[in-house]
Amino acid sequence: MKNIKNLIAVVGVLAVICLQTSQSFGSSHREAPLISNDPLADNTDLYAFKSPNNAENVVLIANYIPFQHPAGGPNWYSFGERIRYEVHVDNNAATPGSDIIYRFTFERVNEDPTTFFLIRLGKENLKTTYKCERSMDGGRSFSTIVMKGTVPPPNIGPRSIENKTVGLGAESYDDLVNKAVATATTGEKIFCGPVDDPFFVDLGGIFDLGNMRPNSGKDGVAKFNCHSIVIEVPVATLQKSKKTVAQASNILDPDYVIGVYASASRQMIKTLYSGGDVGFDGNYVQVSRLGMPLTNEAVIPLGMKDKWNAAKPSEDLQFAQYFTNPELALYMDDSQFGAAVPGLAPLRIQSKSLGAFDFRNGKPGLFGLKGNPALNGTALSEAAFGSVLLPDNKSPRAVDILPIFYTGVPNLPPYQLATGKAGNPLAAGKPFIHNFLPTFGDWLRLNMAVPATPRTDPKFSSLGLVQAAVLGLTDPMYNGSTALQFIPNMDGFPNGRRLEDDVTTIELQAVGGVVLAAIGLWYDDFKPGETASPVTPNLVSVLSFNAGVTKNDTILKPWFPYEQNPWRGFRGNSYSGPSTSSARIATTPLEDKVQGLSVKVLGNPVLTDDVSVEISGVDGQALRMGLTNSQGQVMGQQSVGKAGRIERQTFRVGRQPGIYFLQVSTASEHQTVKIIRN
């Protein structure tokens, strides 16, 4: 009888989880009931990171329209008309709401109404262009900075894109992307168009009642596309006093913190007329927004999701309760529903950290210290932010989850690494973050003074700030003192968000208490005065946990617009088109060679995993090279600052037979050659 009761209890818990966690995760891919029926206005992801190529630039990326099958014709995906797509920037906590707004509106023209094909004879049906406007006064006034920007068409297939007779006659899809990059009148570099969806997550495992499968998950958005707005902008444009990075006092200068969110707005009234006509009237209202990833999916409950989408960050205090006791924490607590979700078993929140502090939902956390003189000089003192971070004795995660999502984290004790604290989490430690912008709303916060970690750095990690904390605690290069120094990945999520960052794993680890441990509130199996090292089995368990999928399904571009070209419809996301011929061909340019530049493939077809080329005629010039496959996906990119008389370069094509295209460009010349891999 006891076993039957236990079984009934577990089934009941699973039913509760099923009801409570549906629509969760997925980083704003169909994250709320209403917006799931309006995909053209649906934010999928938001990114904000330091440019890896220019220390004085920041990259802002807002993605929309989820789950685009590459072969989704004849009505291909596109940015919608009569929708305002906006990227908002807050650079000053003293001013309400957005300080800078980039607004994009799109128009579509049918160039050939006689055909059902999207592309035919050099013309596009629903050819899309955009206008970009910028406001520097919080939306009171706007000026146009790009008047007629070009949106590349979907990457349909080789006849539509490259064929010179029946298609567009482009050298490659990558060529269309490069030609669509615009420079605004105010200096920003802008791209709008379809891309590979760079997000990665095991949707199937997560939606199966938290059935996580570390290291073996299936990427639920693999080989799907989305539509992206990419803006590379000088830091001085976004910094509240128009200062450059070179003018920052240090790499955590508090005056360089910005908050970013993206939104989509529609007019209030939609009227359906006979004959298929649709009318739109009234003011624009926000129907979708996104700041921190997974907020609406994994924090906001189902009944509040549509309300959250319609609210502005300045109205977010009404949702604060869901961050001080996050629902996900219930499934990391064996006294609650933890036993029913074995996929999250490696994540167990501190219940007696340092023998005294319980951070499980509804427990006191650090509230017992409220008003204690020991808090003087810390962020937890009443003179600082104690009223917010220690609001009552039943909101334990107001001390870590709330600031991560709602205010950013200040460079004050206790929010410094345990390095140098001598066992006292309230003491000053090693700084590793300051993205504090206390506007009490859901913004993706970034300190623009923090340098970018080179993507080629062996210490670069998709775990972002979690890995920076690990290095600051364990690596002799960083844990020898409490001095401020750059630690690789200090520019990673949740200090902004890079395309590579594994935000699902990071946020699950954070809910599991890893930030508390990093600042010295160790896991329960650390006994002060007894345990030799705070790197205990519980901490190792959390740090070794992953959410099943840890990287994107294809490589990213090392330069603007950074996201990969969209998957090709001819190939689809789960099938292959006809195999290509393996006949030997000579090096064949796709257009007449330009005088001077010469590209020679050393062996074509290629019989190994690598291909070598010789480039001549551009002695002393800068070179850019990119290798793409027949789907338009970039396989590799290289650059040379100053070419020699004969420049030899090697690219990896891998073992997959097929046709590849190598594009070589200088400032004034370009050439594309076709390569066959047998």
Side-chain angles (χ1 to χ4, degrees):
M1 181 63 70
K2 181 178 180 181
N3 289 337
I4 292 175
K5 289 181 177 179
N6 289 340
L7 178 60
I8 292 173
V10 170
V11 171
V13 167
L14 290 176
V16 170
I17 295 170
C18 182
L19 290 173
Q20 292 181 334
T21 62
S22 64
Q23 300 289 337
S24 66
F25 293 94
S27 195
S28 283
H29 290 54
R30 295 170 52 82
E31 86 288 352
L34 285 178
I35 199 62
S36 66
N37 294 320
D38 187 9
L40 296 189
D42 190 356
N43 292 89
T44 63
D45 283 285
L46 175 70
Y47 303 86
F49 55 91
K50 288 296 295 293
S51 167
N53 302 314
N54 188 332
E56 290 289 349
N57 285 359
V58 164
V59 181
L60 309 176
I61 297 178
N63 289 347
Y64 297 85
I65 318 175
F67 297 114
Q68 298 180 23
H69 193 288
N75 297 301
W76 299 88
Y77 302 94
S78 176
F79 287 110
E81 296 181 290
R82 309 299 286 266
I83 300 174
R84 286 178 175 172
Y85 300 92
E86 294 181 334
V87 178
H88 305 252
V89 178
D90 184 3
N91 61 18
N92 190 343
T95 58
S98 308
D99 295 296
I100 301 171
I101 303 172
Y102 290 93
R103 175 179 292 169
F104 294 80
T105 50
F106 294 84
E107 292 185 356
R108 300 186 296 191
V109 176
N110 190 337
E111 292 186 323
D112 182 3
T114 68
T115 179
F116 66 85
F117 288 113
L118 185 76
I119 293 172
R120 190 183 70 166
L121 301 176
K123 295 182 178 180
E124 294 181 46
N125 287 326
L126 302 181
K127 183 179 180 67
T128 306
T129 58
Y130 68 90
K131 178 173 69 173
C132 176
E133 301 169 275
R134 189 183 78 173
S135 173
M136 300 297 289
D137 56 10
R140 290 185 293 275
S141 63
F142 283 86
S143 59
T144 299
I145 62 174
V146 176
M147 186 62 216
K148 199 84 171 175
T150 300
V151 176
N155 189 5
I156 299 173
R159 278 174 59 81
S160 298
I161 302 301
E162 288 93 6
N163 189 281
K164 295 181 182 297
T165 302
V166 298
L168 295 178
E171 294 179 354
S172 65
Y173 191 84
D174 204 45
D175 186 51
L176 295 179
V177 171
N178 293 336
K179 290 178 178 177
V181 175
T183 300
T185 57
T186 45
E188 294 91 340
K189 187 180 292 185
I190 296 175
F191 170 80
C192 297
V195 296
D196 159 69
D197 190 333
F199 187 57
F200 45 92
V201 63
D202 183 8
L203 292 175
I206 290 171
F207 284 135
D208 188 25
L209 297 175
N211 193 7
M212 312 298 297
R213 34 191 173 181
N215 301 310
S216 62
K218 309 299 181 184
D219 188 352
V221 293
K223 295 189 177 180
F224 281 101
N225 298 325
C226 63
H227 270 63
S228 186
I229 293 172
V230 186
I231 310 168
E232 183 160 340
V233 53
V235 167
T237 300
L238 303 181
Q239 202 273 342
K240 62 183 179 182
S241 302
K242 308 309 174 191
K243 294 180 180 178
T244 65
V245 173
Q247 294 175 285
S249 60
N250 58 58
I251 62 172
L252 292 181
D253 190 326
D255 288 336
Y256 284 74
V257 179
I258 60 171
V260 185
Y261 86 93
S263 67
S265 301
R266 281 194 178 273
Q267 287 177 280
M268 296 177 65
I269 302 171
K270 178 180 179 181
T271 306
L272 302 178
Y273 299 99
S274 61
D277 291 335
V278 181
F280 296 90
D281 300 281
N283 296 328
Y284 279 85
V285 293
Q286 180 177 289
V287 296
S288 177
R289 64 151 163 155
L290 181 63
M292 289 284 284
L294 306 174
T295 298
N296 204 6
E297 298 83 352
V299 179
I300 305 301
L302 184 61
M304 300 291 286
K305 290 182 182 297
D306 291 325
K307 184 176 182 180
W308 188 91
N309 254 348
K312 291 180 170 55
S314 58
E315 303 167 328
D316 277 351
L317 278 180
Q318 63 184 307
F319 305 110
Q321 60 181 307
Y322 305 117
F323 298 87
T324 60
N325 285 286
E327 179 191 340
L328 272 170
L330 298 174
Y331 315 128
M332 303 175 188
D333 178 0
D334 288 337
S335 69
Q336 296 290 332
F337 305 141
V341 190
L344 297 177
L347 307 175
R348 287 297 177 264
I349 298 162
Q350 296 94 320
S351 63
K352 46 186 177 182
S353 179
L354 304 182
F357 303 108
D358 191 343
F359 294 97
R360 294 174 297 172
N361 279 18
K363 302 300 182 180
L366 294 179
F367 185 78
L369 298 175
K370 190 176 181 69
N372 192 308
L375 298 181
N376 292 342
T378 76
L380 305 180
S381 71
E382 290 302 300
F385 313 106
S387 61
V388 174
L389 301 173
L390 300 175
D392 54 53
N393 65 351
K394 295 181 180 180
S395 302
R397 309 312 295 276
V399 78
D400 63 330
I401 301 300
L402 184 69
I404 288 173
F405 280 82
Y406 261 31
T407 66
V409 181
N411 180 23
L412 288 172
Y415 301 113
Q416 295 167 335
L417 294 178
T419 296
K421 289 187 174 182
N424 177 12
L426 299 177
K430 189 175 188 66
F432 78 118
I433 184 174
H434 182 100
N435 64 349
F436 188 60
L437 189 70
T439 50
F440 296 100
D442 185 75
W443 299 80
L444 178 62
R445 290 168 170 84
L446 169 69
N447 191 318
M448 301 184 294
V450 179
T453 305
R455 289 356 183 217
T456 55
D457 190 324
K459 294 180 180 179
F460 181 89
S461 171
S462 63
L463 290 180
L465 266 180
V466 171
Q467 183 64 15
V470 171
L471 293 173
L473 291 168
T474 64
D475 192 316
M477 288 187 64
Y478 314 108
N479 69 1
S481 75
T482 60
L484 171 63
Q485 66 182 125
F486 176 70
I487 306 172
N489 305 295
M490 285 172 65
D491 59 316
F493 182 77
N495 180 35
R497 180 186 177 187
R498 305 170 299 188
L499 290 165
E500 298 88 349
D501 286 339
D502 182 2
V503 296
T504 307
T505 294
I506 294 170
E507 290 195 355
L508 286 171
Q509 290 175 327
V511 175
V514 73
V515 175
L516 298 171
I519 64 176
L521 291 159
W522 306 110
Y523 283 96
D524 297 353
D525 55 344
F526 174 76
K527 312 295 183 185
E530 300 178 20
T531 310
S533 169
V535 185
T536 59
N538 281 2
L539 177 55
V540 171
S541 177
V542 173
L543 292 175
S544 59
F545 169 85
N546 69 70
V549 182
T550 60
K551 62 181 180 180
N552 191 30
D553 55 315
T554 187
I555 61 174
L556 298 165
K557 294 183 179 182
W559 49 61
F560 191 90
Y562 304 104
E563 295 170 296
Q564 186 55 268
N565 296 339
W567 295 93
R568 174 152 279 187
F570 185 67
R571 294 287 183 179
N573 71 341
S574 58
Y575 64 89
S576 297
S579 60
T580 56
S581 170
S582 61
R584 287 187 71 91
I585 63 171
T587 301
T588 307
L590 295 185
E591 66 174 16
D592 293 337
K593 290 184 180 180
V594 180
Q595 183 71 25
L597 173 63
S598 176
V599 182
K600 179 181 179 182
V601 180
L602 304 180
N604 198 16
V606 179
L607 304 178
T608 64
D609 293 352
D610 298 317
V611 58
S612 295
V613 298
E614 283 188 353
I615 303 166
S616 58
V618 289
D619 189 6
Q621 299 183 49
L623 288 176
R624 292 179 62 178
M625 297 158 283
L627 181 71
T628 61
N629 61 18
S630 60
Q631 296 182 3
Q633 297 285 303
V634 177
M635 305 297 295
Q637 294 179 318
Q638 298 178 27
S639 60
V640 175
K642 187 176 182 181
R645 186 177 64 84
I646 296 179
E647 190 71 37
R648 176 174 287 193
Q649 296 290 327
T650 299
F651 291 82
R652 190 163 188 83
V653 295
R655 299 182 180 182
Q656 182 66 40
I659 293 178
Y660 296 82
F661 301 97
L662 177 66
Q663 186 176 70
V664 181
S665 302
T666 67
S668 59
E669 304 175 74
H670 63 274
Q671 184 180 333
T672 301
V673 296
K674 183 186 294 183
I675 299 169
I676 285 185
R677 169 66 166 99
N678 279 351

